Structures are given as C-alpha cells and as structure tokens.
C-alpha cells in the first residue's frame, strides 16, 4: 500500500477498497481507518481511486455515510474548479438580472491567479470584473456574493451606503462575508503538521 501523504508516522488500523456509487468520478474507494485520527474525516483523489480517511472507532454505518458525504464534497469541489470564464460571465449576467434588474453589465468577467489579497476586483471604466482563483471550490453562495459585490461596483464605484443597500438584496450577504472572514482568519493561524491535526 502506498504511503499516506497526510500521515508521516503510523499505519492505518484497517483499509478497505470498494467500488464507488455510479457517477462519483473514481473507479474505486479506499477507506483507511486510523486509531490516531479522533474526529476528522478527509478525502482526496489518488489516481483513479478516492481515499477516505476516517477514525478507527467509526461504525460501518457511519463509514458509509461519511464516504457518501466526502464523495459528494469532492465532486462539488471538482465541478466548481471546472467553472470557466464563459460560465462565470453567464453566472454574473444571471445575478445582475435577478438582483439588479440587469443594470450591471460587465464587458468581461474572468478568473485570475494574481489576486492573493483580494477576492475580486472591478474596473468600472472598462467594465471588467476579475475573481481570484482562490474562490474556486468555495460554496456557490460565496462566489455569487463576490460576483454581486463586483457587479455592484459597476453601478456604485465606492463602498458607501448606496453600495451596501444594493447588496442587501442578496439574502446570503452576511453569511458569505462571514465565510470569507473565516477563511482569512484561518490563513492567519499557525499551520499545524498533519500529525497535530488528529
């Protein structure tokens, strides 16, 4: 069995491999149980196989439930990563229509990889919107909020009261802002080694 990249020491207590449910995108699922792992469940792709890491104490029913949850999570993340610039522009148009009556009309909407301190940016004079690649794989409501934030800048350039009133139309504004604040806060925490995370 190949070494588990998340665990430098110790071997899993038990490892099982099975065929995945249809549509999961992998040809086999390997469940690795670890006596050292206490609460966390994680999963990753390893070639054409999906590896799910779980605590050894989990029951078979819990294992089945978590395998399904983690397969769904990986599939959602992978589908979001595949969202291209064309789909992003279409999404922006739908959001503008739904929340701003179609008044915000960007000339371009695209992903960029050079924004590491901002989630998005807008140049109203050009009508261009750029979203950080770091948003890829985040929940849809978060990406939608950032798109709406930048679309609102096409209508109101600054962050004054008129700008925030526009964003009040989106029901998940506060939740999305909280999510992004949590991501920023987590990035500031000291990173633990994989063995400390269990």
């Amino acid at each position: 069995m190949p070494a588990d990249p998340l665990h430098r020491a110790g071997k899993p207590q038990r490892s099982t491999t099975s065929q995945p449910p249809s549509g999961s995108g992998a040809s086999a699922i390997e469940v690795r149980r670890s006596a050292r792992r206490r609460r966390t469940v994680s999963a990753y792709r390893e070639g054409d196989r999906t590896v799910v890491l779980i605590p050894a104490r989990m029951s078979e029913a819990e294992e089945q439930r978590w395998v399904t949850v983690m397969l769904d999570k990986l599939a959602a993340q992978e589908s979001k990563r595949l969202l291209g610039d064309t789909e992003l522009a279409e999404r922006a148009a739908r959001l503008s229509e739904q929340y701003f009556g179609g008044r915000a009309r960007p000339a371009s909407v695209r992903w960029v990889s050079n924004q590491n301190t901002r989630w998005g940016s807008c140049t109203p004079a050009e009508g261009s919107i750029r979203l950080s690649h770091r948003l890829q794989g985040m929940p849809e409501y978060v990406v939608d909020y950032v798109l709406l934030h930048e679309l609102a800048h096409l209508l109101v350039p600054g962050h004054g009261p008129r700008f925030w009133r526009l964003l009040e139309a989106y029901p998940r504004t506060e939740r999305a802002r909280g999510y992004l604040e949590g991501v920023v806060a987590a990035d500031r925490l000291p990173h633990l080694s994989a063995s400390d995370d269990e």
Side-chain angles (χ1 to χ4, degrees):
M1 175 186 315
D4 180 353
L6 299 179
H7 300 88
R8 285 189 289 264
K11 297 206 183 264
Q13 182 181 20
R14 181 171 67 96
S15 179
T16 58
T17 303
S18 62
Q19 293 304 311
S22 61
S24 69
S27 63
I29 301 164
E30 180 179 340
V31 177
R32 295 181 187 168
R33 289 177 173 262
S34 170
R36 293 180 54 208
R37 185 173 283 269
R38 299 283 179 235
R39 296 183 304 269
T40 59
V41 176
S42 60
Y44 60 92
R45 304 281 192 209
E46 192 174 77
D48 64 349
R49 180 174 49 165
T50 301
V51 178
V52 181
L53 307 166
I54 65 172
R57 63 174 175 69
M58 268 192 188
S59 69
E60 293 296 323
E62 287 175 308
E63 174 183 320
Q64 288 176 2
R65 184 177 71 82
W66 276 106
V67 165
T68 301
V69 166
M70 297 312 288
L71 287 175
D72 289 346
K73 209 176 222 185
L74 281 173
Q77 288 173 350
E78 289 164 354
S79 72
K80 286 186 180 85
R81 277 188 218 117
L82 300 176
L83 188 68
D85 291 347
T86 302
E87 294 85 2
L88 195 62
E90 291 168 358
R91 194 170 182 170
R94 283 193 306 272
L95 289 167
S96 174
E97 187 62 42
Q98 183 176 356
Y99 294 101
F100 303 145
R103 293 179 297 138
R105 294 188 181 115
S108 69
V109 182
R110 62 190 174 95
W111 295 108
V112 294
S113 58
N114 63 351
Q115 289 189 15
N116 294 315
T117 59
R118 295 178 173 188
W119 297 114
S121 62
C122 175
T123 307
E126 298 173 4
S128 63
I129 292 175
R130 295 158 306 280
L131 263 59
S132 172
H133 72 287
R134 295 179 305 140
L135 289 165
Q136 293 174 322
M138 288 190 187
E140 285 185 16
Y141 74 92
V142 175
V143 176
D144 286 351
Y145 164 72
V146 176
L147 269 174
L148 280 165
H149 184 107
E150 302 311 330
L151 286 165
H153 280 307
L154 293 175
L155 304 173
V156 180
H159 286 104
R162 279 184 57 226
F163 174 84
W164 292 111
R165 275 196 298 278
L166 281 172
L167 288 179
E168 286 174 4
Y170 184 57
R172 293 183 165 185
T173 291
E174 289 306 313
R175 183 175 178 198
R177 289 183 66 175
Y179 184 97
L180 292 171
E181 287 169 6
V183 170
V184 170
D187 283 346
R188 291 182 183 147
L189 293 174
H191 291 279
L192 304 174
S193 68
S195 60
D196 293 337
D197 190 33
E198 298 170 22

mmCIF file of all heavy atoms in Angstrom, residues 35-73:
data_model
loop_
_atom_site.group_PDB
_atom_site.id
_atom_site.type_symbol
_atom_site.label_atom_id
_atom_site.label_comp_id
_atom_site.label_asym_id
_atom_site.label_seq_id
_atom_site.Cartn_x
_atom_site.Cartn_y
_atom_site.Cartn_z
ATOM 1 N N ALA A 35 -6.275 4.678 14.127
ATOM 2 C CA ALA A 35 -6.512 4.782 15.567
ATOM 3 C C ALA A 35 -6.097 6.158 16.075
ATOM 4 O O ALA A 35 -6.616 6.644 17.075
ATOM 5 C CB ALA A 35 -5.736 3.692 16.300
ATOM 6 N N ARG A 36 -5.183 6.813 15.380
ATOM 7 C CA ARG A 36 -4.717 8.146 15.794
ATOM 8 C C ARG A 36 -5.713 9.233 15.429
ATOM 9 O O ARG A 36 -5.747 10.278 16.051
ATOM 10 C CB ARG A 36 -3.376 8.437 15.142
ATOM 11 C CG ARG A 36 -2.279 7.522 15.684
ATOM 12 C CD ARG A 36 -0.950 7.804 15.047
ATOM 13 N NE ARG A 36 -0.629 9.223 15.178
ATOM 14 C CZ ARG A 36 0.139 9.877 14.325
ATOM 15 N NH1 ARG A 36 0.651 9.267 13.288
ATOM 16 N NH2 ARG A 36 0.390 11.155 14.507
ATOM 17 N N ARG A 37 -6.491 9.008 14.410
ATOM 18 C CA ARG A 37 -7.471 10.007 13.963
ATOM 19 C C ARG A 37 -8.658 9.954 14.912
ATOM 20 O O ARG A 37 -9.252 8.912 15.110
ATOM 21 C CB ARG A 37 -7.895 9.678 12.526
ATOM 22 C CG ARG A 37 -8.805 10.703 11.893
ATOM 23 C CD ARG A 37 -9.025 10.357 10.432
ATOM 24 N NE ARG A 37 -7.880 10.718 9.625
ATOM 25 C CZ ARG A 37 -7.710 11.876 9.011
ATOM 26 N NH1 ARG A 37 -8.633 12.799 9.116
ATOM 27 N NH2 ARG A 37 -6.645 12.121 8.303
ATOM 28 N N ARG A 38 -9.017 11.075 15.514
ATOM 29 C CA ARG A 38 -10.073 11.106 16.530
ATOM 30 C C ARG A 38 -11.421 11.569 15.989
ATOM 31 O O ARG A 38 -12.441 10.941 16.217
ATOM 32 C CB ARG A 38 -9.676 12.028 17.681
ATOM 33 C CG ARG A 38 -8.426 11.584 18.393
ATOM 34 C CD ARG A 38 -8.713 10.421 19.305
ATOM 35 N NE ARG A 38 -7.488 9.993 19.950
ATOM 36 C CZ ARG A 38 -7.032 8.767 19.915
ATOM 37 N NH1 ARG A 38 -7.680 7.835 19.287
ATOM 38 N NH2 ARG A 38 -5.903 8.456 20.519
ATOM 39 N N ARG A 39 -11.449 12.715 15.301
ATOM 40 C CA ARG A 39 -12.731 13.300 14.884
ATOM 41 C C ARG A 39 -12.820 13.570 13.389
ATOM 42 O O ARG A 39 -13.887 13.575 12.829
ATOM 43 C CB ARG A 39 -12.968 14.631 15.604
ATOM 44 C CG ARG A 39 -13.100 14.533 17.088
ATOM 45 C CD ARG A 39 -13.408 15.892 17.697
ATOM 46 N NE ARG A 39 -12.439 16.916 17.357
ATOM 47 C CZ ARG A 39 -11.361 17.207 18.062
ATOM 48 N NH1 ARG A 39 -11.102 16.546 19.153
ATOM 49 N NH2 ARG A 39 -10.543 18.169 17.694
ATOM 50 N N THR A 40 -11.689 13.883 12.787
ATOM 51 C CA THR A 40 -11.730 14.393 11.421
ATOM 52 C C THR A 40 -11.900 13.289 10.388
ATOM 53 O O THR A 40 -11.442 12.168 10.566
ATOM 54 C CB THR A 40 -10.447 15.183 11.096
ATOM 55 O OG1 THR A 40 -9.330 14.312 11.256
ATOM 56 C CG2 THR A 40 -10.318 16.388 12.008
ATOM 57 N N VAL A 41 -12.577 13.669 9.310
ATOM 58 C CA VAL A 41 -12.726 12.799 8.145
ATOM 59 C C VAL A 41 -12.234 13.623 6.968
ATOM 60 O O VAL A 41 -12.555 14.802 6.845
ATOM 61 C CB VAL A 41 -14.199 12.397 7.919
ATOM 62 C CG1 VAL A 41 -14.355 11.583 6.655
ATOM 63 C CG2 VAL A 41 -14.724 11.619 9.121
ATOM 64 N N SER A 42 -11.427 13.022 6.119
ATOM 65 C CA SER A 42 -10.957 13.738 4.942
ATOM 66 C C SER A 42 -10.903 12.784 3.761
ATOM 67 O O SER A 42 -10.984 11.562 3.930
ATOM 68 C CB SER A 42 -9.591 14.388 5.190
ATOM 69 O OG SER A 42 -8.634 13.400 5.524
ATOM 70 N N ALA A 43 -10.779 13.350 2.576
ATOM 71 C CA ALA A 43 -10.732 12.536 1.367
ATOM 72 C C ALA A 43 -9.925 13.257 0.304
ATOM 73 O O ALA A 43 -9.844 14.488 0.299
ATOM 74 C CB ALA A 43 -12.145 12.263 0.864
ATOM 75 N N TYR A 44 -9.328 12.467 -0.572
ATOM 76 C CA TYR A 44 -8.592 13.032 -1.699
ATOM 77 C C TYR A 44 -8.557 11.994 -2.813
ATOM 78 O O TYR A 44 -8.828 10.810 -2.606
ATOM 79 C CB TYR A 44 -7.184 13.468 -1.283
ATOM 80 C CG TYR A 44 -6.316 12.352 -0.747
ATOM 81 C CD1 TYR A 44 -5.474 11.625 -1.588
ATOM 82 C CD2 TYR A 44 -6.328 12.019 0.602
ATOM 83 C CE1 TYR A 44 -4.680 10.601 -1.098
ATOM 84 C CE2 TYR A 44 -5.541 11.001 1.111
ATOM 85 C CZ TYR A 44 -4.713 10.292 0.244
ATOM 86 O OH TYR A 44 -3.946 9.278 0.734
ATOM 87 N N ARG A 45 -8.242 12.468 -4.020
ATOM 88 C CA ARG A 45 -8.108 11.585 -5.172
ATOM 89 C C ARG A 45 -6.662 11.136 -5.273
ATOM 90 O O ARG A 45 -5.740 11.933 -5.086
ATOM 91 C CB ARG A 45 -8.500 12.297 -6.462
ATOM 92 C CG ARG A 45 -9.891 12.882 -6.474
ATOM 93 C CD ARG A 45 -10.945 11.853 -6.719
ATOM 94 N NE ARG A 45 -12.212 12.549 -7.009
ATOM 95 C CZ ARG A 45 -13.383 12.067 -6.741
ATOM 96 N NH1 ARG A 45 -13.499 10.876 -6.187
ATOM 97 N NH2 ARG A 45 -14.471 12.732 -7.025
ATOM 98 N N GLU A 46 -6.478 9.871 -5.563
ATOM 99 C CA GLU A 46 -5.151 9.303 -5.776
ATOM 100 C C GLU A 46 -5.234 8.500 -7.065
ATOM 101 O O GLU A 46 -5.670 7.343 -7.061
ATOM 102 C CB GLU A 46 -4.771 8.414 -4.587
ATOM 103 C CG GLU A 46 -3.317 8.002 -4.561
ATOM 104 C CD GLU A 46 -3.003 7.244 -3.274
ATOM 105 O OE1 GLU A 46 -3.376 6.050 -3.183
ATOM 106 O OE2 GLU A 46 -2.401 7.856 -2.377
ATOM 107 N N GLY A 47 -4.900 9.122 -8.163
ATOM 108 C CA GLY A 47 -5.073 8.481 -9.463
ATOM 109 C C GLY A 47 -6.559 8.313 -9.756
ATOM 110 O O GLY A 47 -7.328 9.261 -9.655
ATOM 111 N N ASP A 48 -6.963 7.081 -10.084
ATOM 112 C CA ASP A 48 -8.385 6.832 -10.363
ATOM 113 C C ASP A 48 -9.120 6.312 -9.130
ATOM 114 O O ASP A 48 -10.229 5.817 -9.213
ATOM 115 C CB ASP A 48 -8.542 5.853 -11.531
ATOM 116 C CG ASP A 48 -7.990 4.472 -11.219
ATOM 117 O OD1 ASP A 48 -7.295 4.320 -10.188
ATOM 118 O OD2 ASP A 48 -8.249 3.536 -12.000
ATOM 119 N N ARG A 49 -8.494 6.464 -7.963
ATOM 120 C CA ARG A 49 -9.060 5.984 -6.709
ATOM 121 C C ARG A 49 -9.326 7.153 -5.778
ATOM 122 O O ARG A 49 -8.619 8.155 -5.797
ATOM 123 C CB ARG A 49 -8.032 5.030 -6.089
ATOM 124 C CG ARG A 49 -8.413 4.425 -4.788
ATOM 125 C CD ARG A 49 -7.384 3.415 -4.366
ATOM 126 N NE ARG A 49 -6.040 3.986 -4.481
ATOM 127 C CZ ARG A 49 -4.972 3.463 -3.936
ATOM 128 N NH1 ARG A 49 -5.054 2.353 -3.267
ATOM 129 N NH2 ARG A 49 -3.808 4.041 -4.058
ATOM 130 N N THR A 50 -10.358 7.039 -4.953
ATOM 131 C CA THR A 50 -10.641 8.028 -3.920
ATOM 132 C C THR A 50 -10.282 7.416 -2.579
ATOM 133 O O THR A 50 -10.714 6.311 -2.256
ATOM 134 C CB THR A 50 -12.134 8.423 -3.919
ATOM 135 O OG1 THR A 50 -12.465 8.959 -5.192
ATOM 136 C CG2 THR A 50 -12.421 9.464 -2.852
ATOM 137 N N VAL A 51 -9.468 8.137 -1.797
ATOM 138 C CA VAL A 51 -9.060 7.673 -0.476
ATOM 139 C C VAL A 51 -9.827 8.491 0.558
ATOM 140 O O VAL A 51 -9.821 9.714 0.515
ATOM 141 C CB VAL A 51 -7.541 7.826 -0.265
ATOM 142 C CG1 VAL A 51 -7.138 7.385 1.135
ATOM 143 C CG2 VAL A 51 -6.781 7.041 -1.327
ATOM 144 N N VAL A 52 -10.522 7.790 1.464
ATOM 145 C CA VAL A 52 -11.271 8.436 2.538
ATOM 146 C C VAL A 52 -10.620 8.033 3.855
ATOM 147 O O VAL A 52 -10.462 6.842 4.137
ATOM 148 C CB VAL A 52 -12.766 8.027 2.524
ATOM 149 C CG1 VAL A 52 -13.523 8.738 3.643
ATOM 150 C CG2 VAL A 52 -13.402 8.333 1.170
ATOM 151 N N LEU A 53 -10.209 9.024 4.637
ATOM 152 C CA LEU A 53 -9.538 8.778 5.913
ATOM 153 C C LEU A 53 -10.520 9.024 7.054
ATOM 154 O O LEU A 53 -11.108 10.110 7.142
ATOM 155 C CB LEU A 53 -8.340 9.722 6.055
ATOM 156 C CG LEU A 53 -7.360 9.704 4.878
ATOM 157 C CD1 LEU A 53 -6.422 10.888 4.942
ATOM 158 C CD2 LEU A 53 -6.596 8.408 4.860
ATOM 159 N N ILE A 54 -10.722 8.003 7.908
ATOM 160 C CA ILE A 54 -11.702 8.100 8.994
ATOM 161 C C ILE A 54 -11.106 7.573 10.299
ATOM 162 O O ILE A 54 -10.152 6.807 10.284
ATOM 163 C CB ILE A 54 -13.005 7.328 8.662
ATOM 164 C CG1 ILE A 54 -12.723 5.828 8.554
ATOM 165 C CG2 ILE A 54 -13.659 7.856 7.400
ATOM 166 C CD1 ILE A 54 -13.991 4.969 8.428
ATOM 167 N N PRO A 55 -11.703 7.961 11.433
ATOM 168 C CA PRO A 55 -11.259 7.393 12.710
ATOM 169 C C PRO A 55 -11.580 5.891 12.785
ATOM 170 O O PRO A 55 -12.609 5.442 12.259
ATOM 171 C CB PRO A 55 -12.081 8.160 13.750
ATOM 172 C CG PRO A 55 -12.531 9.406 13.058
ATOM 173 C CD PRO A 55 -12.688 9.025 11.618
ATOM 174 N N ALA A 56 -10.727 5.134 13.446
ATOM 175 C CA ALA A 56 -10.907 3.686 13.555
ATOM 176 C C ALA A 56 -12.184 3.320 14.302
ATOM 177 O O ALA A 56 -12.802 2.289 14.034
ATOM 178 C CB ALA A 56 -9.696 3.057 14.257
ATOM 179 N N ARG A 57 -12.635 4.151 15.229
ATOM 180 C CA ARG A 57 -13.782 3.831 16.079
ATOM 181 C C ARG A 57 -15.130 3.944 15.361
ATOM 182 O O ARG A 57 -16.150 3.579 15.905
ATOM 183 C CB ARG A 57 -13.781 4.730 17.312
ATOM 184 C CG ARG A 57 -13.938 6.194 16.971
ATOM 185 C CD ARG A 57 -14.095 7.080 18.186
ATOM 186 N NE ARG A 57 -14.132 8.471 17.827
ATOM 187 C CZ ARG A 57 -15.107 9.078 17.171
ATOM 188 N NH1 ARG A 57 -16.162 8.402 16.805
ATOM 189 N NH2 ARG A 57 -15.035 10.354 16.871
ATOM 190 N N MET A 58 -15.173 4.461 14.148
ATOM 191 C CA MET A 58 -16.448 4.658 13.439
ATOM 192 C C MET A 58 -17.117 3.331 13.126
ATOM 193 O O MET A 58 -16.472 2.368 12.740
ATOM 194 C CB MET A 58 -16.226 5.410 12.130
ATOM 195 C CG MET A 58 -16.364 6.880 12.266
ATOM 196 S SD MET A 58 -16.438 7.626 10.639
ATOM 197 C CE MET A 58 -16.343 9.317 11.144
ATOM 198 N N SER A 59 -18.444 3.333 13.243
ATOM 199 C CA SER A 59 -19.216 2.144 12.885
ATOM 200 C C SER A 59 -19.282 2.022 11.364
ATOM 201 O O SER A 59 -18.971 2.968 10.637
ATOM 202 C CB SER A 59 -20.637 2.252 13.445
ATOM 203 O OG SER A 59 -21.342 3.276 12.754
ATOM 204 N N GLU A 60 -19.707 0.870 10.875
ATOM 205 C CA GLU A 60 -19.855 0.659 9.426
ATOM 206 C C GLU A 60 -20.877 1.635 8.835
ATOM 207 O O GLU A 60 -20.684 2.159 7.740
ATOM 208 C CB GLU A 60 -20.285 -0.785 9.133
ATOM 209 C CG GLU A 60 -19.230 -1.819 9.482
ATOM 210 C CD GLU A 60 -17.966 -1.697 8.648
ATOM 211 O OE1 GLU A 60 -18.065 -1.381 7.440
ATOM 212 O OE2 GLU A 60 -16.874 -1.895 9.205
ATOM 213 N N ALA A 61 -21.960 1.891 9.571
ATOM 214 C CA ALA A 61 -22.989 2.821 9.086
ATOM 215 C C ALA A 61 -22.423 4.238 8.976
ATOM 216 O O ALA A 61 -22.677 4.944 7.987
ATOM 217 C CB ALA A 61 -24.203 2.802 10.012
ATOM 218 N N GLU A 62 -21.641 4.652 9.991
ATOM 219 C CA GLU A 62 -21.022 5.982 9.939
ATOM 220 C C GLU A 62 -20.030 6.060 8.781
ATOM 221 O O GLU A 62 -19.954 7.064 8.081
ATOM 222 C CB GLU A 62 -20.292 6.289 11.246
ATOM 223 C CG GLU A 62 -21.199 6.586 12.420
ATOM 224 C CD GLU A 62 -20.402 6.754 13.701
ATOM 225 O OE1 GLU A 62 -19.583 5.866 14.032
ATOM 226 O OE2 GLU A 62 -20.609 7.780 14.365
ATOM 227 N N GLU A 63 -19.292 4.974 8.590
ATOM 228 C CA GLU A 63 -18.332 4.924 7.478
ATOM 229 C C GLU A 63 -19.051 5.129 6.153
ATOM 230 O O GLU A 63 -18.644 5.959 5.334
ATOM 231 C CB GLU A 63 -17.598 3.590 7.463
ATOM 232 C CG GLU A 63 -16.688 3.426 6.255
ATOM 233 C CD GLU A 63 -16.021 2.064 6.207
ATOM 234 O OE1 GLU A 63 -15.607 1.555 7.269
ATOM 235 O OE2 GLU A 63 -15.907 1.520 5.089
ATOM 236 N N GLN A 64 -20.145 4.398 5.927
ATOM 237 C CA GLN A 64 -20.893 4.528 4.671
ATOM 238 C C GLN A 64 -21.417 5.948 4.490
ATOM 239 O O GLN A 64 -21.339 6.521 3.399
ATOM 240 C CB GLN A 64 -22.046 3.531 4.631
ATOM 241 C CG GLN A 64 -21.589 2.105 4.447
ATOM 242 C CD GLN A 64 -22.745 1.125 4.503
ATOM 243 O OE1 GLN A 64 -23.896 1.501 4.636
ATOM 244 N NE2 GLN A 64 -22.418 -0.156 4.385
ATOM 245 N N ARG A 65 -21.947 6.527 5.564
ATOM 246 C CA ARG A 65 -22.470 7.892 5.479
ATOM 247 C C ARG A 65 -21.361 8.876 5.133
ATOM 248 O O ARG A 65 -21.511 9.722 4.249
ATOM 249 C CB ARG A 65 -23.129 8.290 6.807
ATOM 250 C CG ARG A 65 -23.790 9.667 6.764
ATOM 251 C CD ARG A 65 -24.493 9.987 8.064
ATOM 252 N NE ARG A 65 -23.592 10.236 9.166
ATOM 253 C CZ ARG A 65 -22.990 11.414 9.392
ATOM 254 N NH1 ARG A 65 -23.207 12.429 8.594
ATOM 255 N NH2 ARG A 65 -22.184 11.556 10.429
ATOM 256 N N TRP A 66 -20.206 8.761 5.807
ATOM 257 C CA TRP A 66 -19.107 9.696 5.554
ATOM 258 C C TRP A 66 -18.497 9.504 4.174
ATOM 259 O O TRP A 66 -18.068 10.479 3.550
ATOM 260 C CB TRP A 66 -18.046 9.594 6.651
ATOM 261 C CG TRP A 66 -18.418 10.439 7.831
ATOM 262 C CD1 TRP A 66 -18.875 10.021 9.040
ATOM 263 C CD2 TRP A 66 -18.414 11.867 7.879
ATOM 264 N NE1 TRP A 66 -19.150 11.096 9.844
ATOM 265 C CE2 TRP A 66 -18.868 12.251 9.158
ATOM 266 C CE3 TRP A 66 -18.065 12.854 6.976
ATOM 267 C CZ2 TRP A 66 -18.980 13.584 9.546
ATOM 268 C CZ3 TRP A 66 -18.175 14.183 7.355
ATOM 269 C CH2 TRP A 66 -18.617 14.530 8.622
ATOM 270 N N VAL A 67 -18.443 8.292 3.691
ATOM 271 C CA VAL A 67 -17.931 8.065 2.330
ATOM 272 C C VAL A 67 -18.816 8.801 1.329
ATOM 273 O O VAL A 67 -18.333 9.510 0.444
ATOM 274 C CB VAL A 67 -17.838 6.559 2.007
ATOM 275 C CG1 VAL A 67 -17.660 6.332 0.512
ATOM 276 C CG2 VAL A 67 -16.685 5.925 2.781
ATOM 277 N N THR A 68 -20.133 8.683 1.490
ATOM 278 C CA THR A 68 -21.064 9.382 0.598
ATOM 279 C C THR A 68 -20.889 10.890 0.694
ATOM 280 O O THR A 68 -20.817 11.589 -0.326
ATOM 281 C CB THR A 68 -22.519 8.996 0.945
ATOM 282 O OG1 THR A 68 -22.651 7.582 0.801
ATOM 283 C CG2 THR A 68 -23.507 9.698 0.034
ATOM 284 N N VAL A 69 -20.798 11.415 1.930
ATOM 285 C CA VAL A 69 -20.617 12.859 2.140
ATOM 286 C C VAL A 69 -19.328 13.337 1.473
ATOM 287 O O VAL A 69 -19.307 14.356 0.770
ATOM 288 C CB VAL A 69 -20.605 13.200 3.654
ATOM 289 C CG1 VAL A 69 -20.084 14.603 3.912
ATOM 290 C CG2 VAL A 69 -21.995 13.025 4.244
ATOM 291 N N MET A 70 -18.236 12.611 1.667
ATOM 292 C CA MET A 70 -16.949 13.051 1.136
ATOM 293 C C MET A 70 -16.893 12.920 -0.386
ATOM 294 O O MET A 70 -16.293 13.768 -1.057
ATOM 295 C CB MET A 70 -15.802 12.263 1.793
ATOM 296 C CG MET A 70 -15.692 12.485 3.301
ATOM 297 S SD MET A 70 -15.729 14.222 3.834
ATOM 298 C CE MET A 70 -14.135 14.782 3.289
ATOM 299 N N LEU A 71 -17.534 11.903 -0.958
ATOM 300 C CA LEU A 71 -17.597 11.802 -2.422
ATOM 301 C C LEU A 71 -18.364 12.985 -3.003
ATOM 302 O O LEU A 71 -17.957 13.574 -4.013
ATOM 303 C CB LEU A 71 -18.251 10.490 -2.847
ATOM 304 C CG LEU A 71 -17.421 9.228 -2.669
ATOM 305 C CD1 LEU A 71 -18.251 8.001 -3.011
ATOM 306 C CD2 LEU A 71 -16.166 9.279 -3.539
ATOM 307 N N ASP A 72 -19.482 13.343 -2.358
ATOM 308 C CA ASP A 72 -20.263 14.495 -2.816
ATOM 309 C C ASP A 72 -19.443 15.782 -2.716
ATOM 310 O O ASP A 72 -19.475 16.626 -3.607
ATOM 311 C CB ASP A 72 -21.552 14.645 -2.004
ATOM 312 C CG ASP A 72 -22.571 13.554 -2.314
ATOM 313 O OD1 ASP A 72 -22.400 12.853 -3.336
ATOM 314 O OD2 ASP A 72 -23.528 13.408 -1.528
ATOM 315 N N LYS A 73 -18.711 15.917 -1.614
ATOM 316 C CA LYS A 73 -17.905 17.115 -1.393
ATOM 317 C C LYS A 73 -16.804 17.244 -2.455
ATOM 318 O O LYS A 73 -16.587 18.317 -3.024
ATOM 319 C CB LYS A 73 -17.280 17.036 0.002
ATOM 320 C CG LYS A 73 -17.018 18.343 0.655
ATOM 321 C CD LYS A 73 -16.507 18.104 2.064
ATOM 322 C CE LYS A 73 -17.141 19.078 3.014
ATOM 323 N NZ LYS A 73 -16.618 18.991 4.349
#
